[in-house]
Structures are given as C-alpha cells and as structure tokens.
Amino acid sequence: MLGTSLLGRLRRRDPGDAVLRRAARLTLVASGVFYACRYGVGSPMLATYGLFGAVAAGAFAQLPGPAPQRARILVTALPVVWALLAAGTLLAWNTWAAAGGMLVIGFLVAFAGVGNPRLVGLASAFQLFYILASFPPYEPGALPERLVGVTIAIVLLALAEVFLWPDPVPISYRRRIADAAQGVAAYLDATAEELTNPRPGREARRQRAYDVVAGLSLDRTSPELAPTAADARDRALRICGAALREVLGEADRLAADVPPEPIPALAAVRLLRTCADTTRAAGRSMSPGAPPVDLGELDAAIGRAEAAYPVGPDNRRELPDVPRLCRDATALALADHVRVLAVGAQVAAGSRPGGADTDAGVFEYARHGPWTLYWRQFRAHLAPRSAHLHSALRLAVALAIARVAAGAFQLTHGFWVLLATLTVLRTSAADTRMALRPAVLGTIAGAAVSGLLLFVIEEPIVYAVALPVTVMLAFGVGRLLGPLWQQALFTLLLTVVFVQLSPEGWRLAEARLVDVGLGAVIGVLVGVAMWPRGASHDLRRNAARYLTVSGDAVEQTVRAVLGGAPPDDVLGRVRERMILVDSSRCQYHLERHHPANRRVDWDASLGVGHHVLSGAESLLRRNPAGCLAGWPAAATLLRRSAAELRSAYDDLADRVADGRPPGPMPTPVGCVDELDRIRPLLGEVDSHTAVRHLVEVDGWLASLAAGLARIRR
C-alpha cells in the first residue's frame, strides 16, 4: 500500500514522466561514464569529472526548448566549460588565487543572465565546473584528463537527450501567441457581426479570447519557455502579448457602443474585419516555416478609414455624426494595436521591419543587432541600484568567502561547502530562507543514513551496484518529493560515489554534514547582509517610476494637441523606463514571489504604460500638435481628464512601490458618456475636423481610464 501510494504521488507530480525520463537519461550516462572510467580505464580522475560533468549538465542546468535544442546548447557550451575547468585547475595552487578567481568568474557567470535570464539555468552548472577544479591537489598535468572526462559526459548526455526517451516538444510561447491571436481574431469577427447583424455567441468568443490571452502572462509560463531575453525576438514576443491585451480592451469598448439599429455599411466594421484577418495572419506567422504577416491590407484599410474619418455632413451647419466618430476612433485605435501585433510578429520571426516601423518608439530596438541589444542591457544594469548587479555580486562574494573558508580549514571535501552555498543562496533573503531548511535537514537525514550504511556495509562492490539506484533516487524521485528529500538523497549519492573513489568510512558522512552546514551559514549571512530584497524591490521601484512618467506623458500629449510643445522628451523617458521595468519583470519571474508582490497584477499594471507609449505615438500621427488650439472649452475638458488620469497613475505608482493592491481607478466611459461630455461643446466650433480631433483625443483618454479600471488585486 505504501509503494502504491508513493507511486501515485509521483505520477501526480510528474504526469508526463518528464522528470523521471530526464533522471533515467542522467542515470545511464553518469553511471556508464563512471563505471567505464573508474573500473574500465582505472582512472579516478576521469571517473570524478565524468560523473560530475554529467550531473552538472544534466541536473543543475535547466535548459529550454525541445530535445535537439537542449542537446545543441550542451555541445555549444563545451568551450566555456573547458575554459572554466582550465581556470580552476591553474588557480588551485593557492587558496587566495582560487578565491579571487571564484570572485571574478562567479560574478561574470551570474551577470551574464542580464542579457538572457534563461542563461541562469546554465549559471549553476558553469559555477560547478570551476568549483570542482579549483580545489587541491594542484595538478596542472591532470587538466587533459579532466577535460576528456567532462567532454565525454556532456557529449553522451547530449546524444541521450535526442535518442533516449526524448521529452515531448513543449508548448512554446510562440505557439501560445498563435493560439491567443486566433482567439482574439474570432472575437473581433463576432464583434463586427454584433455591430451589423447581432447573433448569439459573441460572449462565448469573448471569454475564450480572454482565457487564451491570460495564458500569455509570465506568471503562467515556466522560466525555461518564457521570452525573457534582451534580444529582438523575445522583446517582440512580449510586445505581441501586450498588444493582444490592448486589442481586447478596444474591442470591448467598441462592442459596448453598438448602435440602436444595425448599420451594414459601418466603416468601423470594415476596418474591424480587416483587423481580424491581420490578427489571424499574425498568429499563423508564428508557426515554423510560415510566411511573415503582410501589412499591406491593414495599412490600406487604415488609410481608407483615416481618409473618410474627418468627413462630416454636406451641410456645414449640421452637427457631425459624433456616435460614428466615436466608433471610428475606437476602431482606428484597435487597428493601431493590431499593427503593433503584426510588426511584432514580423520581428519575432526574424524580419527587420521597414524604417517607418522601426522609427516608432515601441520597435526602435529592432534596428539594432543582438550584440548591441545585449550591450545596452548590460550597460543599463551596471548601476548601483540594479538588482541584477546586486544578485551577481552577492553570489560571487558568497562563493569567494566559502572558498577561503574551505581552504583555511583545510577541508577534505571543501567543494561541498561551495555547493551548499550555491544551493542555499538565492536572489532574495526570502528565497534563501526558504532554501535553508530543506538543505540543512535533508543533509542531516542523508548523512545519518550514509553513516549507518558505512558502518554496516564495507564492501565497495555494494556501493558500485547501488550507484544507478541512488542517481535515479536523487534526481528523479527526490526532485518530485521536494527539496528536503532531494538533498537527503543527493547526500546519499555523494557517499556512494566517494566510497568508490577514496574510502573514508563513516567520517565521510561527518565531513558532508560539516561542509554543508558551513556553506549554508555563509550563504545565509551573505544573503541577509547584501541587498536582501532581490528583484522584487527593483521591480516595484522601476514600475513606480514607469507609471509616474507615463502619467507625465499623458498630460504632455494633451498639452501638445492643445498647442503646446510635442512630448518627444517625455516619450523618450517612457521608452527608457520601459526597458528597465521589462528587464526587472523578467528577473522577478525567476524568484519566489513575496505575498506583497502578489497583490499587484503586473501584466495589467505595466500594460497601462505600454498603452500610453503606443497610443500617444499613433494619436499624434493623426492629431498633430496644435490641432485643438483655440478651443477653450475643449481644452478645459481635456485638461481635466488628463489631470484625473495623471493622479490615477501617480496613485497606482505609489501603491505598486509599496506592494499594496490598486485603489479606486477612474471609471471607464463609453461612447454614450463621451457624447454627453462633448455635445455641449459642439456649438462653439464649425469645423468637423476639430470635432473629430476632440473625439479621438477624448477617446484615447477614456481608453486609458478603461485600462486602469481593468487592474485587479
């Protein structure tokens, strides 16, 4: 009954057997390399580096993508592994030299994740290769043997990834974007039908669209699959997700303004159907080998809508058709977001859009190559208040101190101290505290069992036979049962390995316990003493600044259409803040989420800033600076609305900075409400074009208010 219960528990935690398959591949490679090198060749050095090379690359490296991609990453990383082994071997002659190398290499390896947080999955493995080689005995002549052992293990592991029980291809973020685009396109078609020929089914399509778009949240995406890199493709994927959310919001506003009587020739409907087709094509373009989305039809539809948009009644004394202007303005705003989606799909597919697209602030980065984008990311975070910099320095200092302590106390297995520090230390004190308890308790339990086994069983053949079983237990069963079990079984595995390399009896378990305790203490002390708040604090601070400058941009944009200076400077600051907060969001995705941060809907909160930037640029293209100058009543209305929005952005920024849930937001208004606000002003101007400008600017402000209102706890 106990075995059946345990098996059921494992299956529930690993329904696709992905963890067990990966553990089985690692078991075959690690055990095979160890047996061949230790008992076939008779080289403990080859056996040690072969086994730990397989463990570091197969268990500590968290690799993204399908099996061929993971295998390619492993083989491509070999030159870096060789360099780290060489550095560790050559610096092992002196404790301070090894610790200095640990400080530099630890920082460089950890800080490399700034350009691509998914590299953090390789960072722990890279650290282990240097750590293992940096301990006595100092044997530069053994370097070729070490390199051969690690190379054999990594190459065999790469082959096993492809040919031994390969994992099913995971659902990529691109595929999620494609599915979300299809769902949103279906909702746009249903909304167009609602405006011309109402039919049942729109609400079901709306709910389906919101469900698939909600799946694009980084919180619902594993770190290995999330588009968190600084390169153009990952940035474009994140922008596509934000654009789809904005398309849904504008579609809701359009559906809320259904005319009392269906109008078959409604211009907004024609544009909406084109937007649905383009959204669908953008989703299809995300599939491998699919042609890129063509913007020609959408651009032509937007051009026709803009050309017809200012036209008023033949009699200049008649009032303009403001309800139609409201619907047309909303449809054009929706089309702008669809265009952002389409250009983002092009960039994500590897294309470089034309100059007109890259001049837009949202896609300015697409003109630059990957190395330029990575350098910008590194440079942005070489700042005293960067959480990335803090995390890399914290880890490097902790490992260097652990290396000095291991050398000063002349510990036989000193690399266990650094391994414990690497295991316990996290990017925040909260994460470190969570990792400490299972690490210590698991080590105590594993050391107790190991000591008992060593006292009872002395024949090495028993431990040789037990090696595959302990590897499978440590990296398969232990990972599924939890950190405490994994640490205990890993301690047992190390005992089984080192009994075959250099028998030390029960003192081996004692050494393991002492080393892990020392490493855990160092990790905790450094984690508490050096910037303990991690990326969550960095994200809240950058998000607050981003929202504040977004509120500034709203006011400056309104002032521009009323005759003030263009808001180029403030929009530039919004772009700069967007880069920083986007990077912080990606780093935060890798951390344990503090309860205070869970109160904030990060996708919605950061999306309102994205809406400001893309919306302001499109708005000013159709409504140039000064288009509403000389209309005092309109100026009063717009300034009041902009001031209310600015206050709402500032309040949201304050609450985000403190980790508090959002307070009351501006009430979103539809076209009917806009009519009530605008109608008293229409007698003051005889220009239908000016009325169109007023409707569109007021509609943009109303859309921003609706975005703020969508934010929930």
Side-chain angles (χ1 to χ4, degrees), residues 190-201:
T191 304
E193 290 290 338
E194 183 78 10
L195 290 171
T196 57
N197 185 20
R199 295 180 181 178

Side-chain angles (χ1 to χ4, degrees), residues 541-564:
R541 183 180 65 245
N542 284 333
R545 293 177 178 176
Y546 178 50
L547 292 168
T548 299
V549 75
S550 296
D552 292 340
V554 172
E555 280 198 325
Q556 292 293 334
T557 302
V558 170
R559 290 176 187 171
V561 297
L562 296 177

Side-chain angles (χ1 to χ4, degrees), residues 490-510:
F490 184 61
T491 299
L492 182 62
L493 169 62
L494 291 178
T495 301
V496 170
V497 170
F498 279 94
V499 162
Q500 300 175 68
L501 293 173
S502 55
E504 298 178 38
W506 63 270
R507 292 191 177 277
L508 188 65
E510 179 188 25

Side-chain angles (χ1 to χ4, degrees), residues 318-460:
E318 294 181 17
L319 293 178
D321 187 356
V322 180
R324 175 199 165 189
L325 290 178
C326 287
R327 288 188 292 270
D328 288 351
T330 305
L332 280 170
L334 186 149
D336 289 335
H337 292 301
V338 170
R339 197 176 195 284
V340 170
L341 167 68
V343 176
Q346 289 180 339
V347 176
S351 302
R352 286 198 178 187
D357 295 322
T358 54
D359 287 342
V362 176
F363 291 102
E364 183 275 337
Y365 67 87
R367 294 179 297 175
H368 305 287
W371 290 111
T372 300
L373 295 177
Y374 279 118
W375 169 244
R376 285 185 174 185
Q377 194 87 332
F378 291 138
R379 187 176 58 188
H381 286 279
L382 284 173
R385 302 186 68 177
S386 167
H388 289 279
L389 182 68
H390 296 169
S391 178
L393 285 174
R394 183 192 304 113
L395 180 62
V397 170
L399 292 177
I401 293 175
R403 180 61 184 88
V404 171
F409 292 115
Q410 297 182 348
L411 300 177
T412 307
H413 299 286
F415 75 93
W416 287 350
V417 179
L418 280 83
L419 182 60
T421 302
L422 192 65
T423 301
V424 169
L425 190 63
R426 295 292 190 270
T427 55
S428 69
D431 283 7
T432 301
R433 185 170 59 251
M434 289 294 293
L436 175 63
R437 183 171 177 269
V440 173
L441 294 182
T443 300
I444 293 174
V449 174
S450 299
L452 181 61
L453 287 177
L454 292 171
F455 182 78
V456 174
I457 303 174
E458 296 182 358
E459 292 77 7

Side-chain angles (χ1 to χ4, degrees), residues 8-72:
R9 183 179 176 185
L10 295 178
R11 286 197 168 275
R12 285 193 299 272
R13 296 192 176 190
D14 188 26
D17 296 330
V19 172
L20 294 180
R21 277 200 305 269
R22 186 166 297 181
R25 290 194 295 268
L26 175 59
T27 298
L28 287 178
V29 172
S31 303
V33 170
F34 186 85
Y35 287 150
C37 295
R38 177 67 182 89
Y39 300 106
V41 181
S43 172
M45 183 71 70
L46 270 177
T48 300
Y49 280 82
L51 177 74
F52 279 94
V55 169
F60 285 86
Q62 303 299 317
L63 303 177
Q69 179 181 341
R70 294 199 301 273
R72 187 166 55 251

Side-chain angles (χ1 to χ4, degrees), residues 261-277:
E261 297 294 333
I263 306 175
L266 198 61
V269 172
R270 294 193 294 271
L271 181 57
L272 192 59
R273 285 173 175 155
T274 303
C275 289
D277 293 339

Side-chain angles (χ1 to χ4, degrees), residues 460-487:
I461 186 62
V462 175
Y463 298 99
V465 172
L467 177 62
V469 177
T470 53
V471 175
M472 189 68 189
L473 288 174
F475 300 111
V477 177
R479 178 163 291 182
L480 292 175
L481 293 180
L484 190 150
W485 279 93
Q486 186 175 6
Q487 189 67 26

